[in-house]
Amino acid sequence: MPTNYTCMICGTTNFSIPYANDFSVIECKKCRYGIIDPVPSSEELDRLYNSPQYFSTHMHTNYEELNEQKLEEAIQKEGIFHFHYLNKILKQSSSVLEIGPGYGLQLKHLANAGYKVKGLETSANAAAFIKNKLGLAVEHSSLENSEDKNMYDVLMMNHVLEHFTDIQHAMQKVKTLLKPGGHLYLRVPNHDSFDRRKMGNKWPAYLPFHISYFSKKSLKILLAKQNFEIINIEEYISDEFLKNIPIYIKKPLKLLMFILGISPFLNGRTITRIAKKHA
């Protein structure tokens, strides 16, 4: 247990330990930001990212083995899901950079729609797939070591921010890649979700390569400190809460919860935010 803990988001020194197993998670009692303890070394992270555990939790499909039809179906499925959020900010001339695109399915969907896209990917295999199979621009690099000097209209980070060992530095780098007035599309696991509270130590996002654990409050503070304004918040009812409710009741029940304003207390496992960089 740490003796000198200071939250890197809000500066508070009071903390709890909501998870302790092979590693611990220390959570700030004020803003509910959590951080893994101990933070893995870069060598340990390299080992974890190449382990079977990482691929079983993050890469559920071997896209390199899909035929053309199955690959196109996967691109459509992934693309339509994210475009639900992105269509609020994309313009016809928008340029898009995705940090950690994996195998680039969302980028391919956007490229097919006429947007100028690029990926920034640390995995050599994934970067090669994006370049050679999908025919898209990609830089094989970490965010910290990227040599990209361009600025983009939209920057995507889909379940990526929680992997950085220094989130403040990562966000500062993000700002250099966004045009003034540009938009950040951000999705992270929600440590303050109904799912996490209900599942406890069995919550599937407790993973040794997840460095940060965000709440809505801690993410709001982080974005504000980095000169971002949140312009869109997406909430949804927890699948864990709904799993035993008959399907014909789910839709009216969810609508009622939103009307009554209780949906934030039964929120799902992901926080989705769109934020605008101040000019």
Side-chain angles (χ1 to χ4, degrees):
M1 180 180 293
T3 56
N4 297 308
Y5 168 77
T6 301
C7 176
M8 68 173 66
I9 300 294
C10 70
T12 298
T13 56
N14 294 326
F15 64 90
S16 63
I17 300 180
Y19 178 84
N21 203 322
D22 296 335
F23 58 90
S24 297
V25 173
I26 306 167
E27 185 181 61
C28 170
K29 288 187 175 181
K30 182 177 180 181
C31 74
R32 307 297 297 275
Y33 167 75
I35 187 168
I36 195 172
D37 182 52
V39 175
S41 66
S42 58
E43 293 78 14
E44 177 66 7
L45 285 172
D46 284 342
R47 184 187 68 79
L48 289 167
Y49 285 135
N50 289 285
S51 68
Q53 183 185 16
Y54 182 77
F55 285 93
S56 66
T57 55
H58 286 69
M59 303 294 181
H60 300 292
T61 302
N62 188 342
Y63 296 107
E64 296 181 44
E65 294 184 354
L66 295 182
N67 61 36
E68 293 295 331
Q69 180 181 344
K70 292 295 184 182
L71 180 59
E72 183 58 34
E73 290 172 358
I75 290 169
Q76 283 293 103
K77 181 179 179 181
E78 183 82 1
I80 290 171
F81 175 83
H82 291 288
F83 199 73
H84 165 74
Y85 304 102
L86 292 168
N87 67 1
K88 299 176 176 65
I89 54 175
L90 284 170
K91 300 177 182 178
Q92 190 173 7
S93 60
S94 291
S95 56
V96 181
L97 174 69
E98 183 170 10
I99 297 172
Y103 279 79
L105 305 188
Q106 172 59 38
L107 285 178
K108 184 62 174 176
H109 184 268
L110 291 174
N112 289 344
Y115 297 101
K116 182 181 178 181
V117 304
K118 180 183 174 181
L120 181 60
E121 176 55 50
T122 59
S123 165
N125 286 343
F129 182 87
I130 292 171
K131 179 181 179 180
N132 300 324
K133 183 68 174 180
L134 301 184
L136 302 178
V138 61
E139 179 185 356
H140 174 216
S141 170
S142 65
L143 172 64
E144 296 89 340
N145 295 324
S146 172
E147 297 180 355
D148 194 338
K149 304 301 182 184
N150 296 310
M151 300 181 78
Y152 298 85
D153 298 298
V154 175
L155 193 148
M156 300 169 55
M157 298 178 75
N158 179 33
H159 286 277
V160 169
L161 186 61
E162 63 270 22
H163 291 263
F164 291 105
T165 55
D166 187 338
I167 55 171
Q168 300 286 1
H169 181 261
M171 289 299 297
Q172 289 167 7
K173 183 73 174 183
V174 163
K175 286 196 298 184
T176 69
L177 293 166
L178 262 181
K179 295 178 181 178
H183 292 90
L184 172 64
Y185 169 56
L186 184 64
R187 288 168 55 83
V188 295
N190 184 359
H191 196 239
D192 198 27
S193 64
F194 174 87
D195 291 36
R196 201 276 303 173
R197 296 193 299 271
K198 176 73 181 295
M199 302 174 78
N201 281 2
K202 295 182 179 180
W203 189 50
Y206 281 135
L207 295 166
F209 33 76
H210 283 176
I211 309 302
S212 293
Y213 293 85
F214 295 97
S215 66
K216 292 186 291 185
K217 184 175 182 179
S218 62
L219 191 59
K220 180 180 179 180
I221 294 171
L222 173 66
L223 289 169
K225 282 187 173 182
Q226 295 293 338
N227 207 29
F228 282 91
E229 174 190 1
I230 295 175
I231 62 169
N232 192 64
I233 297 173
E234 292 283 345
E235 301 280 1
Y236 68 97
I237 305 297
S238 162
D239 292 333
E240 185 70 18
F241 173 78
L242 294 171
K243 69 180 182 181
N244 294 320
I245 295 174
I247 190 168
Y248 61 89
I249 296 178
K250 286 183 180 181
K251 187 172 182 178
L253 179 61
K254 288 193 288 186
L255 179 59
L256 179 62
M257 288 178 176
F258 280 111
I259 292 173
L260 295 177
I262 61 176
S263 57
F265 302 101
L266 298 168
N267 48 4
R269 67 180 64 182
T270 299
I271 302 173
T272 303
R273 296 291 182 268
I274 294 176
K276 183 177 181 179
K277 176 183 171 181
H278 288 297

